[in-house]
Amino acid sequence: MASLREILSDRVSECFAASGYDSRFGPVTVSNRPELGQFQCNGALAAAKAHATNPRQIATEVSEKIAALPMIADVSIAGPGFINISLLDSYIAEHATSMSRENLGIETPAKPAKVIVDYGGANIAKPLHVGHLRAAIIGEALKRLGRAIGHDVTGDVHLGDWGLNMGMVISEIRRRHGDLPYFAENAKPPFPSESPVTAVDLEEIYPTASARCKQNPDELEAAREVTGKLQKGHPGYTALWQHIHDVSVADLRADYEKLNIEFDLWLGESDTQDRIPALIESLTQAGFAQQSQGALVVFVDEPDDTRELPPLILLKTDGAALYGTTDLATIVQRMDDFNPDLILYVVDKRQSDHFVQVFRAARKTGIVDAERTKLEHIGFGTMNGTDGKPFKTRDGGIMKLKDLIGMLVDKALEHMSGVDVARDYDDAEKAGIARMVGVAALKFGDLSNQPAKDYIFDLDRFASFEGKTGPYLLYTAVRIKSILRKAVEQGCAVGPFVAPQSAAERDVLLKLAALPDQLQTAWDQRAPHFLCDYVYELSSLFSGFYRDHHILREPDRARQASWLELSRTTLAAIELVTGILGIEIPDRM
Ligand code: ARG
């Protein structure tokens, strides 16, 4: 089914056509001055230009036709020719009925797009930092949003598991346990099936190794050499790498799960190793790969560039593959496996040059047909602390995901006790609720910002049950659940909708009707923050309605049933949107 705005746009377009103007001037938008009308059409102004007539004249002619439509309550003209339109309450209720029956009005696309979301981007053996956290939160939301509106979306974590970080860790393990079989002169399988390191060990090994390499160029050189040998298939290093990989992935999975982040694919840079030689070969053959200062590169600068864009380096002087190489080979693999319409890369905006290089190289070399497959970098900004500087732990270090989760839960418990939430529940239920509240605080706090902007991670504000926060949404949704439970206990009927009688009730219905458009806009603009705005506005409008209307005490049964249907549909919309944002709602609080 079409959204209310679409239905009205079609009708108004017909009115333009019937008045002798082009129907393309008909589309309406939700009014930005609701006191003048629910919807507005600014088409008369553009039509006046195209038809060289007076806009008010056009608005008057078209308005007369709009007024005659059966669903219209009121039409007026403002200023030079803006048309304001309001719908009949009975029609609004009728539309709400179809919406609640038909998947909240969300239509599936005639031809769903095949989409890959590359997000998360954790680096094996290296602690996750808040940038990875943002990548995971925003990417997960985009993945779920695409799915909610009917696209075929696959999420891939694209692990950083093939670069110098691996060489550093392996060479540090060698320094400590040089006697392990992985380091023997002619190391050959079979190797021990048990990993010599745990996830906890790795938390310490990488920072130590990286500090050592920073201080000592010889250590760095050694790590490079190990990386090179690993990439060329050294059996001992490969076996050790596999252990490090598996241990890290198990640990990452567990952490991501606590944040409701689920990847379909756990592929990484290393999964491109088989493809790299053939890729290099074919790019060289075709003349796309060229020697430059000892390295093999693809030039990606274009005549209109306003600043110099360095070439994408395929192979360094020592023959090692780099970040750009694995990204290019990953596109080859994704084209083979999925032939997607779109690949979204949710990665820190400071990597934007890298993605310009990779995307240009992919198009230039014909790996991707630009007409067929879109490549987009969704660059996000930095998460700053309340001091305005990139978020760190109190001792200035990088916050580990586990510690962050612990911090979220503690903060959630603090705010819960402040408002008497879950006070008398047993510890297990309380802990479950605290996790949901904490995750809601974090995710809503993050996602309510435009992705590209830096934002301040102010957990105290995010965890509050008041204002535009995740916990406030949970609270509203849980309250609706409780109303619906009580209604069932009291044997009340739910639905159908009847025409709204108050402004508060009408406002909720109109907000609900806007849901499909909101989802589409948020997807088109890759902007989950629109959904945060929407779900917060919907929740506030519902709270206002609930304040003024005593649903369970309403004597008029038909009204009560309609209000309960309104409650149920609002809950469904909140659940849908919070689900997209990766936020879970408890049954009670
Ligand atoms: N591992 C990278 C990093 O930590 C992010 C990977 C993003 N995805 C990609 N296809 N390059 O910066």
Side-chain angles (χ1 to χ4, degrees), residues 57 128 201 298 336 377 423 491 576:
Q57 166 71 32
L128 288 193
D201 296 336
V298 180
D336 281 354
H377 173 209
R423 193 185 50 200
L576 177 88

PDB file of all heavy atoms in Angstrom, residues 57 128 201 298 336 377 423 491 576:
ATOM      1  N   GLN A  57      -3.094  32.251  -8.796  1.00  0.00           N
ATOM      2  CA  GLN A  57      -4.147  31.866  -9.729  1.00  0.00           C
ATOM      3  C   GLN A  57      -4.194  30.330  -9.866  1.00  0.00           C
ATOM      4  O   GLN A  57      -5.249  29.702  -9.734  1.00  0.00           O
ATOM      5  CB  GLN A  57      -3.823  32.538 -11.084  1.00  0.00           C
ATOM      6  CG  GLN A  57      -4.589  32.031 -12.283  1.00  0.00           C
ATOM      7  CD  GLN A  57      -6.048  32.467 -12.198  1.00  0.00           C
ATOM      8  OE1 GLN A  57      -6.336  33.536 -11.661  1.00  0.00           O
ATOM      9  NE2 GLN A  57      -6.949  31.638 -12.708  1.00  0.00           N
ATOM     10  N   LEU A 128      39.491  -3.427  20.033  1.00  0.00           N
ATOM     11  CA  LEU A 128      38.537  -2.579  19.307  1.00  0.00           C
ATOM     12  C   LEU A 128      38.612  -1.194  19.904  1.00  0.00           C
ATOM     13  O   LEU A 128      38.779  -1.043  21.098  1.00  0.00           O
ATOM     14  CB  LEU A 128      37.120  -3.074  19.559  1.00  0.00           C
ATOM     15  CG  LEU A 128      36.689  -4.356  18.915  1.00  0.00           C
ATOM     16  CD1 LEU A 128      35.186  -4.471  19.040  1.00  0.00           C
ATOM     17  CD2 LEU A 128      37.082  -4.350  17.464  1.00  0.00           C
ATOM     18  N   ASP A 201      45.334 -12.877  26.679  1.00  0.00           N
ATOM     19  CA  ASP A 201      46.766 -12.683  26.365  1.00  0.00           C
ATOM     20  C   ASP A 201      46.917 -11.648  25.251  1.00  0.00           C
ATOM     21  O   ASP A 201      47.774 -10.765  25.307  1.00  0.00           O
ATOM     22  CB  ASP A 201      47.400 -13.986  25.843  1.00  0.00           C
ATOM     23  CG  ASP A 201      47.406 -15.092  26.891  1.00  0.00           C
ATOM     24  OD1 ASP A 201      47.354 -14.763  28.088  1.00  0.00           O
ATOM     25  OD2 ASP A 201      47.455 -16.286  26.488  1.00  0.00           O
ATOM     26  N   VAL A 298      47.928   1.523  -9.158  1.00  0.00           N
ATOM     27  CA  VAL A 298      46.910   1.908 -10.143  1.00  0.00           C
ATOM     28  C   VAL A 298      46.704   3.412  -9.974  1.00  0.00           C
ATOM     29  O   VAL A 298      46.377   3.870  -8.868  1.00  0.00           O
ATOM     30  CB  VAL A 298      45.559   1.192  -9.899  1.00  0.00           C
ATOM     31  CG1 VAL A 298      44.521   1.623 -10.932  1.00  0.00           C
ATOM     32  CG2 VAL A 298      45.735  -0.319  -9.920  1.00  0.00           C
ATOM     33  N   ASP A 336      31.700 -11.602  -7.612  1.00  0.00           N
ATOM     34  CA  ASP A 336      31.543 -13.019  -7.973  1.00  0.00           C
ATOM     35  C   ASP A 336      30.450 -13.691  -7.146  1.00  0.00           C
ATOM     36  O   ASP A 336      29.606 -14.405  -7.676  1.00  0.00           O
ATOM     37  CB  ASP A 336      32.844 -13.794  -7.704  1.00  0.00           C
ATOM     38  CG  ASP A 336      33.860 -13.568  -8.804  1.00  0.00           C
ATOM     39  OD1 ASP A 336      33.504 -12.908  -9.807  1.00  0.00           O
ATOM     40  OD2 ASP A 336      35.006 -14.037  -8.653  1.00  0.00           O
ATOM     41  N   HIS A 377      30.863   5.092   0.452  1.00  0.00           N
ATOM     42  CA  HIS A 377      31.503   5.149   1.771  1.00  0.00           C
ATOM     43  C   HIS A 377      30.638   5.994   2.694  1.00  0.00           C
ATOM     44  O   HIS A 377      30.398   7.169   2.414  1.00  0.00           O
ATOM     45  CB  HIS A 377      32.905   5.761   1.627  1.00  0.00           C
ATOM     46  CG  HIS A 377      33.584   6.013   2.931  1.00  0.00           C
ATOM     47  ND1 HIS A 377      34.499   7.021   3.106  1.00  0.00           N
ATOM     48  CD2 HIS A 377      33.485   5.385   4.122  1.00  0.00           C
ATOM     49  CE1 HIS A 377      34.928   7.012   4.369  1.00  0.00           C
ATOM     50  NE2 HIS A 377      34.331   6.032   4.997  1.00  0.00           N
ATOM     51  N   ARG A 423      12.572  -2.045  40.396  1.00  0.00           N
ATOM     52  CA  ARG A 423      13.052  -2.067  41.779  1.00  0.00           C
ATOM     53  C   ARG A 423      12.857  -3.434  42.453  1.00  0.00           C
ATOM     54  O   ARG A 423      13.750  -3.945  43.094  1.00  0.00           O
ATOM     55  CB  ARG A 423      12.366  -0.978  42.593  1.00  0.00           C
ATOM     56  CG  ARG A 423      13.053  -0.743  43.927  1.00  0.00           C
ATOM     57  CD  ARG A 423      12.320   0.245  44.786  1.00  0.00           C
ATOM     58  NE  ARG A 423      10.912  -0.112  44.878  1.00  0.00           N
ATOM     59  CZ  ARG A 423       9.963   0.729  45.231  1.00  0.00           C
ATOM     60  NH1 ARG A 423      10.255   1.981  45.500  1.00  0.00           N
ATOM     61  NH2 ARG A 423       8.705   0.332  45.310  1.00  0.00           N
ATOM     62  N   GLY A 491     -10.668  -7.641  29.690  1.00  0.00           N
ATOM     63  CA  GLY A 491     -11.542  -8.108  28.623  1.00  0.00           C
ATOM     64  C   GLY A 491     -11.947  -7.027  27.625  1.00  0.00           C
ATOM     65  O   GLY A 491     -13.003  -7.125  26.986  1.00  0.00           O
ATOM     66  N   LEU A 576       9.302  -1.647  15.666  1.00  0.00           N
ATOM     67  CA  LEU A 576       9.946  -1.776  14.353  1.00  0.00           C
ATOM     68  C   LEU A 576      11.174  -0.870  14.278  1.00  0.00           C
ATOM     69  O   LEU A 576      12.264  -1.294  13.890  1.00  0.00           O
ATOM     70  CB  LEU A 576       8.962  -1.411  13.234  1.00  0.00           C
ATOM     71  CG  LEU A 576       9.601  -1.453  11.857  1.00  0.00           C
ATOM     72  CD1 LEU A 576       9.497  -2.856  11.276  1.00  0.00           C
ATOM     73  CD2 LEU A 576       8.988  -0.454  10.907  1.00  0.00           C
TER      74      LEU A 576
END
